Amino acid sequence: MPDTAQATDKVQSSAPKPVANAAGDANRKRLLTYLGIAVVIGAVAYSAYYGLVASHYVSTDNAYVGTDTAQVNALVSGPVATIVVSETQVVKAGDVLLTIDDADAKIAVAQAKAALALAQRHVQGYYASDEALAGQVGASQAEVARATAMIASAQSGLDNAKTELTRRQNLAQSGAVSQEELTTAQNAYTQAQAVYNTAVANHASAVAGVQAAGGQRATNAAQFTGASADQNPEVLAAQAKLDAANLALERTVVRAPTDGIVARKAVQVGQQVAVGTPLMTVVPTARAYVDANFKEGQLKKVVPGQTVELHSDLYGKSVTYHGTVRGISGGTGSAFSLIPAQNASGNWIKVVQRLPVRIDLDPKELVAHPLRVGLSMDAEIDTRK
């Protein structure tokens, strides 16, 4: 009897199970149907989102802050006298960074000033010499006039002597003139001829004197003609040397070429520096940009001028930077590496290449949230435009 009772209980307890299983199957089918509908809706929604929105954006976290740093070099040689800045210090364009001993530069300026004053006096001497040479030319011309008059006088005397000699020679044939008178007339003619020759030689000498004085004056005038005393080539050359000396003196004070942060200071007080020695670097963080390395398959629609949203790991998602695509690099990073990949070696495995995209940042946002060179960034480009 007990066994019969137990069997009856089992039959009674198991009788409702087919109904419960049927209800569970119906619930599962309903849930699977809802899940399928949800998956389909999600797929459609994602497809619509990708087609309408996501497909127009490309993003990468392989992006880094960069800037065109300003290298500060020594423009004159000498020992470093003072250094007034330190690394990480913020400076403005024109701020003094350091000074180089200026003793030699001051001496060079003094020498250049003396050379300029000497050149100015030389030029003034050219004007004074011109006046003196003008007087010499006038005196030589007067000497020519005097010599011309002497030739005329000598010519007259010669003509008279010749006439007297001819008359006496005619009279001597008839015996009317003694031999002594004829000899005297001949001597007078010879003397008159000598006086005439002397006058002609003096005239030639006077003409040569005029030419010599004129040549000297022309040579002297060439030193200053065509320009004022201040614009004379000698004065300008001396002035240029003075300007160069003043510039060298000015360059003993090394100033910041741009606004930025001092970095890589490589100089100490007392160090002897030569022209071109690197002293330090000024990083203009206000003109920072971002080089974002996108995969080659992402760049089909990327063109200069498109807008970019960026986030820095320094500030997180709470700060959004807005930028503009400046351009795309002319080659991949591997193409410009020190040892480019040799894909023709036979052991070739395709690697997706990345191209740097230069992105300009909003200067106002950089002022509000400064960045540093080398910081990591996330960049997303809107390719709809």
Side-chain angles (χ1 to χ4, degrees):
M1 291 297 292
D3 292 337
T4 303
Q6 290 177 357
T8 302
D9 293 338
K10 288 181 180 180
V11 171
Q12 291 176 352
S13 61
S14 61
K17 284 184 179 180
V19 177
N21 289 338
D25 290 341
N27 290 333
R28 280 195 296 274
K29 289 180 180 180
R30 189 179 301 108
L31 291 175
L32 289 174
T33 300
Y34 292 156
L35 180 59
I37 293 172
V39 170
V40 172
I41 293 174
V44 172
Y46 177 77
S47 298
Y49 170 76
Y50 181 80
L52 297 175
V53 179
S55 63
H56 300 296
Y57 292 87
V58 291
S59 62
T60 183
D61 58 358
N62 188 353
Y64 305 94
V65 178
T67 189
D68 297 324
T69 59
Q71 180 71 46
V72 180
N73 297 327
L75 299 179
V76 294
S77 60
V80 176
T82 60
I83 300 176
V84 298
V85 297
S86 58
E87 288 200 24
T88 73
Q89 182 173 336
V90 178
V91 295
K92 297 291 185 181
D95 287 352
V96 177
L97 303 178
L98 58 88
T99 61
I100 298 174
D101 186 84
D102 60 358
D104 292 337
K106 288 181 177 178
I107 293 174
V109 169
Q111 291 175 339
K113 287 182 178 179
L116 175 60
L118 185 60
Q120 291 172 338
R121 282 162 175 75
H122 280 168
V123 173
Q124 293 173 356
Y126 295 147
Y127 287 97
S129 297
D130 182 71
E131 295 179 0
L133 291 172
Q136 291 182 12
V137 169
S140 298
Q141 290 173 341
E143 185 66 22
V144 169
R146 189 182 70 82
T148 302
M150 292 299 294
I151 289 176
S153 177
Q155 182 68 52
S156 177
L158 179 62
D159 292 341
N160 291 335
K162 185 177 181 180
T163 301
E164 290 295 329
L165 176 61
T166 301
R167 186 174 60 179
R168 281 173 173 73
Q169 286 176 342
N170 294 330
L171 293 175
Q173 294 177 358
S174 62
V177 175
S178 66
Q179 186 63 35
E180 183 179 357
E181 290 180 353
L182 180 60
T183 301
T184 301
Q186 289 176 341
N187 291 338
Y189 176 76
T190 302
Q191 185 177 2
Q193 182 70 47
V195 171
Y196 176 79
N197 292 337
T198 301
V200 171
N202 290 338
H203 181 271
S205 177
V207 171
V210 171
Q211 294 176 346
Q216 291 178 357
R217 186 183 184 190
T219 301
N220 182 75
Q223 306 294 327
F224 63 88
T225 301
S228 63
D230 293 337
Q231 297 299 314
N232 185 273
E234 291 187 23
V235 175
L236 292 178
Q239 182 65 55
K241 291 182 179 180
L242 177 57
D243 293 341
N246 283 324
L247 181 60
L249 177 60
E250 181 181 347
R251 285 176 171 174
T252 59
V253 179
V254 181
R255 300 181 182 274
T258 183
D259 297 349
I261 298 174
V262 176
R264 299 174 60 189
K265 184 172 73 68
V267 65
Q268 302 295 331
V269 174
Q271 178 180 341
Q272 180 73 26
V273 296
V275 176
T277 301
L279 304 176
M280 62 187 68
T281 300
V282 177
V283 181
T285 54
R287 297 199 299 271
Y289 53 78
V290 172
D291 283 330
N293 302 300
F294 285 90
K295 296 178 181 179
E296 50 191 319
Q298 295 178 293
L299 298 176
K300 180 178 180 181
K301 298 181 180 180
V302 175
V303 295
Q306 292 173 339
T307 59
V308 188
E309 287 191 358
L310 305 101
H311 297 90
S312 169
D313 291 354
L314 177 64
Y315 299 106
K317 297 294 183 181
S318 61
V319 176
T320 300
Y321 294 90
H322 298 85
T324 304
V325 175
R326 184 195 302 180
I328 302 174
S329 175
T332 65
S334 62
F336 294 118
S337 63
L338 184 61
I339 304 177
Q342 297 297 324
N343 294 332
S345 61
N347 300 322
W348 177 71
I349 298 176
K350 183 176 181 178
V351 177
V352 176
Q353 300 298 312
R354 291 178 179 266
L355 279 170
V357 176
R358 181 64 56 86
I359 301 170
D360 293 326
L361 300 176
D362 187 344
K364 295 180 180 179
E365 294 177 348
L366 286 174
V367 172
H369 301 92
L371 294 172
R372 297 296 185 269
V373 175
L375 292 180
S376 299
M377 301 286 286
D378 294 333
E380 184 179 63
I381 301 177
D382 184 356
T383 62
R384 289 176 296 180
K385 296 182 180 179

